[in-house]
Amino acid sequence: MKSKLINKHMWKYVDWALVAIIVLIVGYGIVSIINATASPFTGDESTFAQFMENLNLGTAERQLMFFGIGLGIMFVILLLDYHIVRNMTEIIYWACIVLLVIVLNLGTEVNGTTGWFRIGDYGLQPSEFCKIGVVLVLAKVISDKTEGHEDGINKIRDIIPALWRFAIPFALIMAQPDFGTAIVYAFIFFVMLFMAKTNWKILLLLIAVCIIAVVVIYPFLKPYQQSRISVWWNPEAQEADDLLQTQQAKMAIGSGGLTGKGLFAPGSLSQLDYVPEKHNDFIFAVTVEAFGFIGGAALIVLYFLLISRTFMLAMRAKDDYGAYIIIGVGAMMLFHTFENIGMNIGLLPVTGIPLPFFSYGGSNLLTSMIAYGIVLSVDMRRTRWPIG
């Protein structure tokens, strides 16, 4: 009898449209990374050799390497029945907590956050990978309460298992301190509870508690974190230096116009290093400067297709556990995309949240690939594969 692991019929149940969207976003991102990291062009480059001398391909090559590794991991994961993972969620969750405790005490500080392990020239950010562990454990404990019930969650005691499993990693990440990533965890938590048809009174109570917590925590944030919130909340009252990141990103976006200045345009703001963190946090601004409003709109359409299709797959999952996994991943993608683009155009505070599949960064790219490997695994098993 053939194993389902190698069943030849399984491949037609893979959502290839979702895979194609991911590949398009990653490919677009690599082109933008090459543009962002290139040395300034003068316009006098007349030969191919001179052109290539200005390209610093190391960053793009590393991104492509991470994508290749992630693609392999994604296809290995989709072969595994996600119900096997359900029995391991507590182990995965507590392994994540251990990693967050270790990195808090022994990790390397990057941009004011003690959230990284350094491995040679590479950095590993446990809080990225732990998002998957939290999504899995929340999906399990919430589905334990909702499977077979139509009325959702109506009692506070029913959310306690999910609440404390969310609160522990949230507190550890806040202690790093990484306010932006902590908000991602909170958004995932609330979206999963909302989709579980949790009583609105319970949700309002949790939201009120979160607002109070933000007010209490704010005085303990680092000065640069307080400044980012202040710049967003009341930009007119801020010093010019505090507004620099957002203003430069908005200038780059505005200078792109409708069709953009083109790749490697001499004198562009990104080429002159006016845009900060131009290959990761602010890569959207660099992309719009190069490809214009049309290029930015095309990227937003790709994310709309990715996120909407993700939530659509949740609707056809065969059980609550699988549906909540996909919802958690969709919520993660939605917040990352909305926050990153929002901070690039000045509508939201700067948090250091990368644009998934697009910004440079191995930890986030691998996390996203693993997450979508699980999504594809859930969707493939919405029906029984034929035997033989």
Side-chain angles (χ1 to χ4, degrees):
M1 184 176 177
K2 292 185 179 181
S3 168
K4 283 186 178 182
L5 187 63
I6 55 174
N7 192 311
K8 65 182 181 181
H9 297 283
M10 62 174 289
W11 298 108
K12 72 177 182 179
Y13 294 101
V14 175
D15 194 300
W16 293 109
L18 191 65
V19 176
I21 295 168
I22 291 171
V23 171
L24 286 173
I25 295 174
V26 173
Y28 194 176
I30 289 173
V31 171
S32 292
I33 289 170
I34 294 172
N35 176 61
T37 56
S39 298
F41 281 72
T42 64
D44 296 326
E45 294 79 13
S46 57
T47 66
F48 180 73
Q50 289 176 328
F51 177 83
M52 292 301 296
E53 283 179 3
N54 278 18
L55 300 184
N56 301 315
L57 297 177
T59 304
E61 288 171 351
R62 287 193 292 273
Q63 185 79 343
L64 188 59
M65 177 191 72
F66 289 132
F67 176 61
I69 294 171
L71 201 61
I73 294 173
M74 185 175 77
F75 278 101
V76 169
I77 289 173
L78 68 83
L79 293 174
L80 303 175
D81 191 329
Y82 66 98
H83 293 100
I84 297 174
V85 179
R86 181 171 189 159
N87 299 325
M88 301 171 60
T89 51
E90 293 294 339
I91 296 173
I92 295 170
Y93 174 78
W94 287 110
C96 290
I97 298 303
V98 169
L99 281 175
L100 291 175
V101 171
I102 293 173
V103 78
L104 184 61
N105 291 277
L106 302 176
T108 301
E109 184 175 314
V110 177
N111 295 329
T113 298
T114 308
W116 296 81
F117 291 123
R118 298 301 304 181
I119 304 173
D121 294 332
Y122 298 96
L124 178 70
Q125 191 177 13
S127 61
E128 285 290 338
F129 296 101
C130 290
K131 292 172 189 173
I132 299 173
V134 170
V135 166
L136 291 174
V137 78
L138 289 179
K140 179 180 182 297
V141 297
I142 294 174
S143 63
D144 286 344
K145 300 296 181 182
T146 64
E147 195 75 59
H149 301 283
E150 294 294 331
D151 54 350
I153 297 174
N154 291 303
K155 298 177 181 179
I156 291 180
R157 69 169 179 265
D158 289 337
I159 70 165
I160 298 299
L163 183 61
W164 70 258
R165 285 173 173 85
F166 152 72
I168 294 175
F170 178 83
L172 289 171
I173 292 167
M174 284 296 296
Q176 292 181 2
D178 188 347
F179 189 66
T181 301
I183 296 176
V184 178
Y185 279 66
F187 187 78
I188 292 170
F189 175 66
F190 277 101
V191 170
M192 292 180 75
L193 283 183
F194 176 79
M195 297 302 289
K197 296 189 286 189
T198 302
N199 186 288
W200 64 271
K201 293 180 181 178
I202 297 175
L203 290 175
L204 287 178
L205 176 62
L206 290 174
I207 291 171
V209 170
C210 287
I211 293 173
I212 293 171
V214 169
V215 174
V216 172
I217 292 170
Y218 182 81
F220 299 96
L221 296 177
K222 291 191 175 184
Y224 77 90
Q225 292 174 315
Q226 293 180 349
S227 174
R228 286 176 174 180
I229 296 173
S230 299
V231 165
W232 167 66
W233 186 257
N234 188 16
E236 293 80 8
Q238 307 307 312
E239 299 291 336
D241 289 345
D242 295 330
L243 297 168
L244 193 61
Q245 283 184 316
T246 302
Q247 285 182 336
Q248 289 174 326
K250 289 166 67 176
M251 287 174 61
I253 290 172
S255 68
L258 180 63
T259 58
K261 295 180 176 179
L263 292 171
F264 321 117
S268 65
L269 297 178
S270 58
Q271 287 282 301
L272 297 175
D273 286 335
Y274 284 165
V275 180
E277 303 292 340
K278 59 184 181 178
H279 61 296
N280 39 52
D281 293 353
F282 288 95
I283 194 168
F284 181 78
V286 173
T287 301
V288 176
E289 182 183 30
F291 296 104
F293 174 82
I294 293 174
L299 182 57
I300 291 172
V301 168
L302 285 174
Y303 277 112
F304 173 79
L305 294 173
L306 174 71
I307 295 167
S308 61
R309 189 161 189 84
T310 301
F311 284 109
M312 184 200 76
L313 298 188
M315 295 174 63
R316 70 184 190 188
K318 71 177 180 181
D319 55 29
D320 283 3
Y321 176 60
Y324 292 137
I325 289 175
I326 299 177
I327 287 167
V329 173
M332 180 175 72
M333 288 294 117
L334 176 61
F335 186 86
H336 267 267
T337 304
F338 190 76
E339 163 59 26
N340 181 275
I341 294 176
M343 76 181 190
N344 271 257
I345 61 179
L347 290 180
L348 293 172
V350 177
T351 58
I353 295 293
L355 195 55
F357 295 118
F358 202 82
S359 297
Y360 171 74
S363 293
N364 182 260
L365 180 56
L366 289 176
T367 297
S368 300
M369 298 297 292
I370 292 169
Y372 271 91
I374 301 172
V375 167
L376 291 169
S377 174
V378 173
D379 185 61
M380 284 171 56
R381 290 161 180 85
R382 67 189 182 272
T383 186
R384 185 180 295 275
W385 298 335
I387 296 175

